[in-house]
């Protein structure tokens, strides 16, 4: 099976530039990976030991941010790699690493070249990024390797007939920091006990959001003294379920709505605008002079019922203005987005119906802080209830805020482990 894997991964590497002609994301990844070797050659410092941090995408990057913030870059160089364009293209200029690039495809030749250039002293993987050739190289070179916020599900690749061969490569990991007890049990069934249930570092990341300055003048002007629904990381399937309520709310004008779609390409924004019959305004259309709204833009905001945030980086601040939050992704099959970013502000959270692979959503639902809906009528029923019943809304929000606060601490466990390896790894 390893031979078949190597053959397929080599073929994939060769075909990516061709596939990029037909798919924008694949094109971004292909072009970006073509620059990886130049980035590494130009930025790697031979005089400092390296910490290699690898994340699949943007969500996994957010999980490792609390750890990145504490890595000692005076004594170590941090090399951050991404597999997905959604991670790299959004965070290629992050100040939390010294070098940021795409991870070269997991071929034997790429792995050998990457290891030779970077020569990591420590490798930090996030959640469930397991590439056999990279893991083999880490073990062969005796490089200390940990997994942060790891997840091992019952029905995973390692338990399938076609994936069992990969299990032995997990021997490269010195310690697995896992999100939950189920992951610990499932990893134990694979024969690994060098693990601990530390929790999810996303809780630490989310708890930090409420401590920063989240004020946005244009949102103050838009919302005024009204209640506000913030729809985060929405997909067309989410908007379809919200449409009926949005139309009725437009007529009443009782509640302002902020929508931050997951995809902000012009064609996607046009699709969203077609789904919204009522008057809405795009963040990109607001005229600003040195970040101050013109009087015309301020008037537009006050008159509009829906504000579409068609840019990256404002959603977490927008959640701080929410009376209620709807987090997208679970109405379709794209996957539920981060509910912690909304819950940390102590507001009720509503999601779609497909969230079984997201245990944090099920846990918050059991506690009474989250509501799952499947139809327009279900959404209307729950949001109207939350908007009119102050006691229910406050109670639900308190549950969310307490849930975040009571689950922090995963980062501390990871950092304590790193200090045992070398005190210089971590900023005190």
């Amino acid at each position: 099976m390893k031979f078949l894997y190597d053959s397929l991964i080599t073929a994939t590497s060769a075909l990516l530039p061709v596939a990029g002609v037909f798919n924008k994301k694949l094109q971004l990844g292909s072009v970006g990976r073509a620059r990886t070797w130049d980035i590494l050659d130009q930025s790697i410092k031979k005089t400092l030991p390296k910490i290699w941090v690898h994340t699949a995408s943007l969500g996994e990057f957010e999980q490792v941010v609390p750890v990145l913030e504490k890595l000692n870059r005076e004594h170590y160089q941090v090399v951050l790699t991404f597999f997905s364009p959604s991670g790299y293209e959004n965070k290629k200029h992050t100040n939390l690493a010294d070098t940021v690039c795409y991870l070269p495809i997991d071929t034997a030749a790429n792995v050998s070249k990457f290891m030779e250039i970077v020569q990591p002293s420590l490798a930090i993987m996030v959640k469930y990024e397991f590439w056999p050739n990279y893991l083999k190289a880490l073990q062969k070179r005796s490089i200390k390797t940990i997994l942060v916020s790891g997840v091992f599900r019952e029905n995973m690749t390692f338990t399938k007939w076609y994936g069992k061969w990969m299990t032995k490569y997990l021997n490269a990991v010195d310690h697995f920091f896992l999100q939950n007890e189920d992951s610990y049990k499932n990893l134990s069934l694979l024969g690994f006990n060098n693990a601990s249930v530390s929790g999810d570092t996303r809780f630490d990341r989310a708890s930090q959001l409420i401590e920063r300055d989240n004020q946005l003048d244009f949102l103050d002007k838009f919302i005024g003294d009204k209640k506000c629904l913030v729809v985060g990381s929405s997909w067309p399937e989410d908007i379809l379920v919200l449409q009926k309520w949005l139309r009725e709310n437009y007529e009443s004008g009782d509640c302002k709505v902020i929508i931050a779609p997951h995809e902000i390409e012009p064609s996607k924004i046009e699709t969203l605008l077609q789904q919204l019959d009522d008057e809405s305004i795009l963040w990109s259309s607001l005229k600003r002079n040195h970040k101050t709204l013109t009087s015309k833009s301020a008037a537009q905001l006050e008159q509009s019922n829906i504000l579409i945030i068609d840019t990256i980086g404002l959603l977490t601040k927008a959640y701080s203005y929410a009376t209620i939050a709807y987090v997208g992704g679970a109405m379709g099959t794209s996957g539920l987005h981060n509910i912690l970013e909304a819950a940390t502000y102590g507001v009720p959270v509503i999601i779609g119906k497909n969230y079984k692979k997201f245990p944090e959503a099920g846990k918050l639902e059991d506690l009474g802080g989250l509501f799952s809906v499947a139809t327009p009528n279900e959404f209307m029923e729950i949001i109207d209830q939350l908007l009119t019943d102050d006691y229910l809304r406050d109670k639900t929000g308190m549950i969310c805020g307490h849930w975040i606060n009571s689950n922090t601490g995963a980062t501390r466990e990871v950092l304590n482990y790193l200090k045992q390896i070398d005190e210089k790894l971590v900023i005190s």
Side-chain angles (χ1 to χ4, degrees):
M1 289 299 291
K2 178 63 162 57
F3 174 78
L4 178 60
Y5 170 82
D6 286 337
S7 300
L8 289 173
I9 206 75
T10 300
T12 298
S13 180
L15 291 172
L16 275 178
V18 179
V21 175
F22 306 98
N23 185 286
K24 184 178 180 180
K25 285 187 177 180
L26 290 178
Q27 183 183 46
L28 283 172
S30 179
V31 172
R33 281 188 171 83
R35 296 188 59 246
T36 290
W37 303 120
D38 287 338
I39 292 173
L40 292 174
D41 286 337
Q42 293 170 15
S43 63
I44 291 297
K45 300 174 183 176
K46 302 296 184 183
T47 56
L48 287 177
K50 319 298 183 301
I51 303 173
W52 171 32
V53 181
H54 177 64
T55 72
S57 190
L58 186 59
E60 288 74 24
F61 170 80
E62 293 296 338
Q63 285 182 293
V64 80
V65 162
V67 177
L68 285 171
E69 290 175 335
K70 288 295 185 178
L71 293 181
N72 191 339
R73 287 162 61 193
E74 181 179 348
H75 292 92
Y76 287 85
Q77 182 179 7
V78 176
V79 179
L80 174 66
T81 59
F82 289 95
F83 183 80
S84 165
S86 69
Y88 176 76
E89 298 301 331
N90 284 305
K91 296 299 177 181
K92 56 187 174 184
H93 300 303
T94 179
N95 60 5
L96 293 176
D98 302 287
T99 299
V100 185
C101 61
Y102 278 97
L103 181 72
I105 299 297
D106 187 39
T107 65
N110 282 344
V111 171
S112 178
K113 186 175 181 179
F114 180 85
M115 290 295 177
E116 187 63 29
I117 295 174
V118 177
Q119 297 186 7
S121 300
L122 168 70
I124 301 175
M125 309 286 117
V126 184
K127 198 171 182 178
Y128 42 45
E129 271 286 282
F130 303 112
W131 297 103
N133 287 319
Y134 278 105
L135 290 175
K136 180 180 179 181
L138 289 169
Q139 186 176 21
K140 183 179 179 180
R141 289 166 173 77
S142 299
I143 297 168
K144 185 72 75 171
T145 302
I146 65 171
L147 180 71
V148 174
S149 293
V151 173
F152 286 85
R153 298 191 177 101
E154 184 177 354
N155 191 25
M156 56 188 166
T157 303
F158 298 109
T159 64
K160 308 290 186 182
W161 64 268
Y162 55 80
K164 287 183 178 180
W165 65 274
M166 292 177 59
T167 304
K168 67 178 181 179
Y169 294 100
L170 294 177
N171 284 302
V173 180
D174 291 275
H175 195 85
F176 299 86
F177 290 94
L178 304 176
Q179 290 190 26
N180 49 51
E181 292 289 347
D182 284 344
S183 291
Y184 186 89
K185 180 186 71 175
N186 292 327
L187 181 62
S188 297
L189 292 174
L190 295 176
F192 296 91
N193 295 302
N194 52 326
S196 58
V197 180
S198 58
D200 189 344
T201 49
R202 287 186 304 166
F203 284 93
D204 298 309
R205 174 64 170 153
S207 69
Q208 294 173 350
L209 297 177
I210 202 167
E211 298 172 0
R212 68 182 183 184
D213 180 9
N214 289 295
Q215 184 179 11
L216 295 169
D217 290 344
F218 71 95
L219 290 187
D220 289 327
K221 181 65 66 175
F222 172 67
I223 297 169
D225 58 359
K226 292 187 177 181
K227 295 182 176 68
C228 179
L229 168 69
V230 176
V231 181
S233 301
S234 67
W235 293 78
E237 297 92 337
D238 298 300
I239 303 301
L240 282 174
V241 172
L242 273 59
Q243 267 182 337
K244 186 177 180 181
W245 178 83
L246 288 172
R247 289 168 183 160
E248 290 194 5
N249 180 66
Y250 174 67
E251 295 295 330
S252 68
D254 291 336
C255 183
K256 294 279 189 161
V257 180
I258 298 170
I259 300 177
H262 179 67
E263 297 181 311
I264 59 171
E265 294 88 348
S267 61
K268 304 298 183 182
I269 296 299
E270 182 59 34
T271 298
L272 174 58
L273 289 171
Q274 290 173 2
Q275 287 184 292
L276 302 173
D277 296 336
D278 48 23
E279 190 175 339
S280 58
I281 188 170
L282 295 175
W283 179 89
S284 60
S285 71
L286 296 174
K287 301 298 183 183
R288 297 175 297 278
N289 182 19
H290 299 294
K291 298 184 179 181
T292 301
L293 290 170
T294 64
S295 56
K296 183 178 179 181
S297 293
Q300 287 178 306
L301 279 170
E302 290 177 343
Q303 295 165 10
S304 298
N305 183 255
I306 297 178
L307 172 63
I308 299 171
I309 300 182
D310 54 339
T311 188
I312 297 294
L314 295 180
L315 176 57
T316 54
K317 289 194 174 186
Y319 277 138
S320 71
Y321 285 83
T323 307
I324 300 167
Y326 177 96
V327 180
M331 196 57 69
T333 58
S334 55
L336 177 64
H337 292 284
N338 193 342
I339 63 171
L340 278 61
E341 293 176 343
T344 194
Y345 293 107
V347 297
V349 177
I350 306 174
I351 63 171
K353 57 188 176 181
N354 301 317
Y355 62 96
K356 299 304 179 186
K357 290 185 177 180
F358 301 87
E360 70 275 13
K363 178 63 175 178
L364 187 54
E365 184 181 39
D366 290 342
L367 291 172
L370 176 145
F371 304 89
S372 170
V373 298
T375 67
N377 286 338
E378 286 182 7
F379 175 76
M380 289 185 68
E381 181 180 353
I382 190 61
I383 193 169
D384 287 343
Q385 189 176 1
L386 288 169
L387 286 172
T388 56
D389 189 335
D390 293 345
Y391 174 77
L392 173 64
R393 188 175 65 250
D394 291 344
K395 178 183 176 182
T396 305
M398 286 178 60
I399 290 171
C400 288
H402 177 72
W403 178 64
I404 296 292
N405 293 332
S406 62
N407 282 282
T408 57
T411 302
R412 182 173 59 252
E413 291 197 31
V414 174
L415 296 178
N416 286 339
Y417 180 88
L418 294 179
K419 286 179 181 178
Q420 293 174 19
I421 299 173
D422 181 358
E423 287 189 359
K424 292 182 180 180
L425 276 170
V426 177
I427 300 171
S428 58

